[in-house]
């Protein structure tokens, strides 16, 4: 068995109080913000896969149940590590202005511990549950017994690269070995035992697990920003592309429905020119990304309809939710916010603008930007769908989606490397909905009207709605299970 290297720093004091209180911010349900220091040694947490204690030095945020929910969320100092369940303590103990205080958890919206994130060490696995929770741990189970159609195998965990679980009870699993072999069969073990980085051992029923990924070193070292390849002398150096975004270079295209005759919402067609470059998300925003915003921003958690969270596109979010996420992301990365409280675009100085080239923060794509990117930008693809003439190659839609969203990036991308612009979920755009006109346009953006544009079709629509020219619209307050979004940003 390989030696697992695990750096775990546990508190050895049995006291209820920390010797070095942790600076924290309590966001109270009445809107108050309390700057204080948490003095608790640890908290006790119970979930449907086990009970454990979490030393406070491992805690990043605690989000208490909102209206209509009963689940508390616990985020740790490790990237994307989230637990959901019930906090057993009734009070958060803190020092406020030198006064010992007990804040009842029913009075708190969320607690933010002002501590730094911690990098992962080697020798841990990433466990993702079907409920959307995920955490890192040392693997204590030495093997896994699988009944296949051609025999029973006892696999050593030393030889495993990835395990993917399906169903409840007698769980079907796909196991990928380091050698590249793939095996499918029924798991015979009742539990898989792991040890959290905070020190607790958990025995988890395979039926609750979605995946166990043994390549966490690769995950931990994934760069946030990637460089454009070296440029030749005399060439203009291109902008650095943010993580999981794609550069769309300025150009001209014909926008609208080029394939059908007669009346449609994509008529008349017209020429659009962009005099600026922009970035657009390679993928639709996922629950994994949105849940970080939910935890840090104190937002209400959108429902996943029981389909799972993680890498599925976020759904049941309004247009207002989407632009609030964009502003949160801008603030997180020290960029000017893109929207004011009325939903207007803002330039870098905070002034209202109707020119998307002047907006520096993260935002939703304009309708024209969305279609240009879906058509491959300067590649000027002639495909009816984003990346292909064959809808099944690029889109999850009514005929192949199994009546639910699917994890992003599983279908073929378009020529710019963008996924799911046809199907999976419709995507909010910044524009208000209006009828097309045939006049030529430069950097178009429609900011007059009550409804907001959505594009791309979804898991529930037919193939026609997945065409790159197809348009739809909703009230900006609407939340439905076929509607999500992807982010965009003007290149500085």
């Amino acid at each position: 068995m390989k030696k697992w290297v695990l750096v775990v720093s546990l508190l050895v004091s049995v006291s209820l109080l920390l010797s070095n209180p942790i600076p924290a911010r309590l966001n109270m349900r009445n809107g108050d913000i309390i700057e204080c220091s948490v003095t608790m040694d640890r908290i006790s947490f119970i979930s449907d896969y086990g009970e454990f204690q979490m030393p406070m030095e491992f805690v990043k945020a605690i989000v208490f149940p909102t209206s209509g929910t009963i689940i508390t969320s616990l985020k740790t100092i490790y990237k994307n590590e989230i637990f959901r369940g019930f906090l057993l303590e009734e009070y958060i103990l803190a020092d406020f202005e030198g006064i010992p205080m007990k804040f009842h958890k029913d009075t708190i919206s969320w607690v933010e511990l002002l501590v730094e994130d911690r990098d992962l060490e080697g020798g841990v696995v990433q466990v993702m549950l079907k409920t959307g929770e995920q955490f890192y741990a040392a693997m204590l189970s030495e093997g896994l017994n699988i009944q296949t159609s051609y025999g029973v195998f006892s696999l050593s965990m030393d030889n495993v690269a990835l395990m993917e679980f399906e169903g409840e009870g007698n769980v079907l699993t796909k196991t990928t070995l380091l050698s590249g072999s793939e095996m499918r069969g029924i798991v015979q073990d009742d539990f898989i035992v792991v040890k959290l980085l905070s020190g607790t051992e958990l025995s988890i029923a395979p039926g609750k697990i979605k995946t166990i990924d043994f390549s966490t070193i690769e995950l931990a070292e994934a760069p946030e920003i990637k460089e454009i390849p070296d440029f030749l002398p005399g060439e203009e150096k291109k902008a650095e592309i943010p993580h999981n975004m794609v550069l769309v270079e300025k150009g001209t295209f014909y926008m609208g429905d080029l394939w059908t005759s007669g009346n449609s919402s994509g008529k008349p067609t017209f020429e659009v020119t962009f005099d600026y470059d922009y970035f657009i998300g390679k993928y639709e925003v996922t629950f994994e990304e949105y849940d970080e915003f939910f935890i840090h921003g104190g937002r209400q958690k959108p429902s996943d309809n029981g389909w799972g969270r993680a890498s599925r596109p976020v759904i049941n979010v309004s247009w207002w939710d989407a632009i609030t996420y964009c502003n949160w992301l801008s603030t997180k990365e020290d960029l000017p916010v893109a929207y004011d409280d009325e939903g207007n675009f803002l330039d870098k100085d905070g002034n209202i603008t109707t020119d998307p080239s002047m907006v520096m923060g993260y935002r939703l794509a304009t309708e024209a930007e969305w279609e240009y990117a879906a058509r491959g930008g300067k590649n000027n693809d002639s495909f009816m769908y984003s990346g292909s003439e064959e809808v099944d190659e690029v889109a999850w839609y009514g005929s192949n989606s199994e009546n639910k969203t699917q994890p992003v990036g599983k279908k073929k991308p378009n020529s710019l490397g963008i996924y799911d612009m046809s199907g999976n979920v419709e995507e909010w755009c910044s524009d208000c909905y209006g009828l097309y006109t045939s006049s030529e346009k430069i950097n178009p953006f429609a900011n007059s009207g009550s409804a907001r544009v959505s594009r791309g079709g979804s898991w529930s629509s037919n193939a026609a709605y997945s065409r790159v020219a197809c348009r739809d619209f909703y009230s900006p307050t609407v939340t439905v299970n076929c509607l999500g979004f992807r982010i965009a940003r003007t290149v500085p």
Side-chain angles (χ1 to χ4, degrees), residues 43-54 71-72 74 82-88 127 129 131 133 135 190-194 196 198 200-206 208-209:
I43 56 175
S44 300
F45 203 75
I46 187 168
S47 68
D48 64 356
Y49 48 87
E51 181 177 342
F52 58 91
Q53 289 190 331
M54 180 72 67
I71 300 299
T72 295
L74 175 65
I82 298 175
F83 300 90
R84 294 191 176 94
F86 302 92
L87 191 67
L88 297 183
V127 182
L129 303 182
T131 54
E133 295 151 87
F135 49 84
D190 293 329
F191 298 100
I192 293 176
V193 184
V194 299
L196 301 180
S198 55
T200 301
E201 292 187 13
L202 293 178
S203 297
I204 309 172
K208 298 184 182 298
I209 303 172

XYZ file of all heavy atoms in Angstrom, residues 43-54 71-72 74 82-88 127 129 131 133 135 190-194 196 198 200-206 208-209:
348
model
N -16.618 22.903 16.164
C -18.058 22.744 16.035
C -18.360 21.283 15.697
O -17.526 20.574 15.137
C -18.659 23.659 14.952
C -17.971 23.429 13.601
C -18.583 25.121 15.366
C -18.593 24.218 12.473
N -19.556 20.851 16.056
C -19.998 19.482 15.773
C -21.026 19.531 14.652
O -21.938 20.357 14.668
C -20.616 18.854 17.028
O -19.677 18.819 18.074
N -20.865 18.623 13.702
C -21.678 18.653 12.488
C -22.170 17.243 12.209
O -21.432 16.274 12.368
C -20.817 19.152 11.319
C -21.581 19.747 10.182
C -22.146 21.009 10.280
C -21.728 19.055 8.992
C -22.839 21.578 9.219
C -22.410 19.600 7.922
C -22.964 20.871 8.038
N -23.433 17.133 11.792
C -23.980 15.824 11.447
C -24.599 15.901 10.058
O -25.282 16.861 9.710
C -25.022 15.357 12.490
C -25.451 13.921 12.192
C -26.211 16.306 12.567
C -26.252 13.288 13.310
N -24.286 14.905 9.242
C -24.828 14.808 7.891
C -25.410 13.416 7.703
O -25.344 12.588 8.614
C -23.716 15.059 6.865
O -22.792 13.977 6.903
N -25.960 13.159 6.543
C -26.558 11.839 6.326
C -25.507 10.772 6.033
O -25.833 9.620 5.801
C -27.604 11.886 5.215
C -27.030 12.240 3.862
O -25.825 12.523 3.788
O -27.795 12.238 2.875
N -24.212 11.136 6.069
C -23.160 10.140 5.877
C -22.232 10.066 7.088
O -21.231 9.353 7.068
C -22.332 10.459 4.626
C -21.889 11.900 4.533
C -20.721 12.333 5.131
C -22.663 12.818 3.858
C -20.332 13.654 5.070
C -22.286 14.141 3.774
C -21.120 14.558 4.381
O -20.754 15.873 4.305
N -22.562 10.801 8.159
C -21.740 10.669 9.351
C -21.745 11.918 10.206
O -22.207 12.979 9.792
N -21.241 11.770 11.421
C -21.119 12.883 12.358
C -19.646 13.136 12.606
O -18.851 12.204 12.738
C -21.832 12.548 13.669
C -21.782 13.658 14.706
C -22.562 13.318 15.965
O -23.407 12.398 15.904
O -22.313 13.956 17.001
N -19.260 14.405 12.654
C -17.860 14.715 12.882
C -17.730 16.066 13.569
O -18.659 16.875 13.590
C -17.068 14.721 11.567
C -17.582 15.680 10.526
C -17.101 16.986 10.445
C -18.542 15.273 9.604
C -17.565 17.861 9.479
C -19.004 16.141 8.639
C -18.517 17.441 8.575
N -16.554 16.278 14.154
C -16.218 17.577 14.723
C -15.203 18.259 13.823
O -14.276 17.616 13.311
C -15.647 17.413 16.136
C -16.677 16.999 17.166
C -16.139 17.085 18.571
O -14.948 16.925 18.811
N -17.028 17.367 19.524
N -15.384 19.558 13.621
C -14.495 20.329 12.769
C -13.798 21.395 13.617
O -14.452 22.315 14.117
C -15.288 20.991 11.647
C -14.433 21.837 10.700
S -13.374 20.858 9.601
C -14.601 20.039 8.573
N -31.082 22.979 6.003
C -29.717 22.496 5.942
C -28.726 23.637 6.177
O -28.863 24.725 5.618
C -29.434 21.845 4.568
C -30.386 20.667 4.346
C -27.989 21.383 4.483
C -30.257 19.559 5.357
N -27.733 23.368 7.019
C -26.613 24.278 7.208
C -25.472 23.852 6.290
O -25.221 22.662 6.118
C -26.144 24.250 8.676
O -27.190 24.766 9.504
C -24.894 25.084 8.875
N -21.348 24.162 5.411
C -20.062 24.396 6.054
C -18.975 24.384 4.987
O -18.784 23.380 4.300
C -19.806 23.301 7.095
C -18.455 23.297 7.803
C -18.298 24.543 8.646
C -18.323 22.050 8.668
N -17.072 21.531 0.689
C -18.354 21.925 1.270
C -19.031 20.714 1.899
O -19.106 19.643 1.289
C -19.290 22.530 0.200
C -18.679 23.797 -0.400
C -20.660 22.851 0.790
C -19.487 24.373 -1.544
N -19.535 20.886 3.129
C -20.347 19.884 3.806
C -21.734 20.482 4.040
O -21.878 21.689 4.270
C -19.732 19.490 5.151
C -18.350 18.917 5.052
C -17.241 19.748 5.124
C -18.146 17.565 4.878
C -15.954 19.235 5.040
C -16.869 17.036 4.792
C -15.770 17.870 4.872
N -22.762 19.641 4.016
C -24.123 20.090 4.291
C -24.766 19.152 5.307
O -24.627 17.935 5.209
C -24.956 20.146 3.013
C -24.454 21.197 2.047
C -25.428 21.432 0.897
N -24.933 22.516 0.062
C -24.201 22.346 -1.022
N -23.882 21.132 -1.414
N -23.785 23.378 -1.722
N -25.433 19.737 6.286
C -26.074 18.933 7.323
C -26.628 19.816 8.413
O -27.249 20.843 8.138
N -26.361 19.449 9.679
C -26.919 20.161 10.824
C -25.809 20.478 11.818
O -25.022 19.607 12.184
C -28.002 19.322 11.500
C -29.130 18.945 10.584
C -29.094 17.746 9.880
C -30.207 19.793 10.398
C -30.120 17.392 9.017
C -31.232 19.452 9.541
C -31.197 18.253 8.846
N -25.762 21.741 12.244
C -24.832 22.147 13.281
C -25.445 21.807 14.635
O -26.575 22.201 14.927
C -24.568 23.650 13.173
C -23.423 24.196 14.013
C -22.091 23.660 13.507
C -23.426 25.725 13.968
N -24.721 21.053 15.460
C -25.278 20.585 16.721
C -25.219 21.649 17.806
O -26.036 21.638 18.730
C -24.533 19.324 17.173
C -24.671 18.117 16.226
C -23.964 16.907 16.809
C -26.126 17.797 15.930
N -13.617 13.473 -2.837
C -14.873 12.732 -2.792
C -16.010 13.691 -3.133
O -16.164 14.729 -2.489
C -15.106 12.117 -1.398
C -16.406 11.312 -1.381
C -13.926 11.236 -0.996
N -20.174 13.841 -3.512
C -21.393 13.123 -3.191
C -22.507 13.491 -4.159
O -22.460 14.519 -4.841
C -21.816 13.436 -1.759
C -20.774 13.140 -0.675
C -21.343 13.456 0.692
C -20.310 11.690 -0.742
N -25.306 14.579 -3.472
C -26.002 15.771 -2.992
C -25.293 17.058 -3.382
O -25.785 18.143 -3.109
C -26.115 15.727 -1.469
O -24.809 15.547 -0.910
C -27.022 14.596 -1.024
N -22.186 17.841 -2.291
C -21.085 18.098 -1.371
C -19.799 17.488 -1.905
O -19.828 16.501 -2.640
C -21.408 17.506 -0.005
C -22.591 18.150 0.680
C -23.311 17.191 1.599
O -22.901 17.095 2.763
O -24.270 16.540 1.147
N -15.399 16.926 -0.679
C -14.360 17.147 0.317
C -13.139 16.326 -0.047
O -13.185 15.442 -0.926
C -14.857 16.791 1.726
C -15.529 15.448 1.841
C -14.802 14.294 2.024
C -16.915 15.350 1.773
C -15.419 13.056 2.137
C -17.550 14.124 1.879
C -16.802 12.974 2.067
N -19.967 -2.497 1.880
C -21.013 -1.679 2.489
C -20.575 -0.233 2.682
O -21.401 0.684 2.628
C -21.420 -2.267 3.844
C -22.101 -3.615 3.708
O -22.766 -3.832 2.667
O -21.958 -4.445 4.622
N -19.264 -0.034 2.929
C -18.775 1.315 3.201
C -17.407 1.509 2.562
O -16.642 0.563 2.382
C -18.657 1.576 4.714
C -19.965 1.496 5.442
C -20.311 0.354 6.158
C -20.845 2.569 5.415
C -21.515 0.280 6.824
C -22.058 2.502 6.086
C -22.400 1.363 6.784
N -17.099 2.766 2.263
C -15.751 3.188 1.892
C -15.292 4.141 2.995
O -15.998 5.093 3.340
C -15.729 3.866 0.521
C -16.059 2.826 -0.563
C -14.379 4.513 0.248
C -16.153 3.375 -1.953
N -14.127 3.872 3.564
C -13.665 4.604 4.750
C -12.591 5.604 4.340
O -11.611 5.252 3.668
C -13.110 3.640 5.819
C -12.730 4.413 7.079
C -14.139 2.556 6.147
N -12.790 6.862 4.761
C -11.824 7.923 4.472
C -11.557 8.710 5.751
O -12.298 8.607 6.732
C -12.339 8.878 3.375
C -12.580 8.138 2.068
C -13.603 9.595 3.824
N -10.948 12.689 6.889
C -10.960 14.087 6.497
C -9.641 14.763 6.866
O -8.922 14.321 7.758
C -12.113 14.827 7.168
C -13.534 14.318 6.889
C -14.548 15.193 7.639
C -13.830 14.329 5.404
N -9.342 17.353 8.444
C -9.469 17.853 9.810
C -9.374 16.740 10.845
O -9.483 17.002 12.043
C -10.799 18.598 9.977
O -11.882 17.769 9.607
N -11.220 13.587 11.123
C -12.313 12.658 11.405
C -12.361 11.536 10.372
O -12.229 11.781 9.172
C -13.661 13.399 11.398
O -13.623 14.422 12.385
C -14.804 12.446 11.695
N -12.594 10.316 10.849
C -12.809 9.186 9.941
C -14.303 9.069 9.635
O -15.141 9.162 10.534
C -12.303 7.888 10.568
C -10.792 7.836 10.706
C -10.302 6.466 11.166
O -11.115 5.509 11.139
O -9.115 6.369 11.554
N -14.629 8.867 8.351
C -16.009 8.688 7.917
C -16.137 7.390 7.145
O -15.270 7.042 6.338
C -16.455 9.842 7.016
C -16.584 11.238 7.634
C -16.998 12.235 6.558
C -17.583 11.240 8.772
N -17.225 6.676 7.412
C -17.560 5.476 6.638
C -18.776 5.814 5.785
O -19.867 6.025 6.320
C -17.853 4.296 7.576
O -16.708 3.957 8.339
N -18.599 5.862 4.471
C -19.629 6.367 3.574
C -20.166 5.228 2.717
O -19.392 4.497 2.075
C -19.069 7.484 2.668
C -18.366 8.546 3.522
C -20.176 8.117 1.851
C -17.627 9.582 2.707
N -21.476 5.092 2.679
C -22.093 4.083 1.822
C -21.865 4.455 0.362
O -22.052 5.611 -0.017
C -23.586 3.987 2.119
N -21.452 3.519 -0.487
C -21.198 3.833 -1.899
C -22.392 4.476 -2.606
O -22.209 5.279 -3.521
C -20.855 2.464 -2.506
C -20.296 1.692 -1.366
C -21.068 2.129 -0.163
N -24.173 6.808 -1.717
C -24.215 8.260 -1.502
C -23.137 8.988 -2.296
O -23.130 10.221 -2.358
C -24.059 8.575 -0.015
C -25.172 7.996 0.842
C -25.028 8.405 2.288
C -26.129 7.764 3.142
N -27.469 8.195 2.726
N -22.211 8.244 -2.873
C -21.053 8.842 -3.542
C -21.320 9.000 -5.036
O -21.917 8.135 -5.676
C -19.791 7.985 -3.322
C -19.527 7.809 -1.812
C -18.577 8.611 -3.989
C -18.411 6.829 -1.509
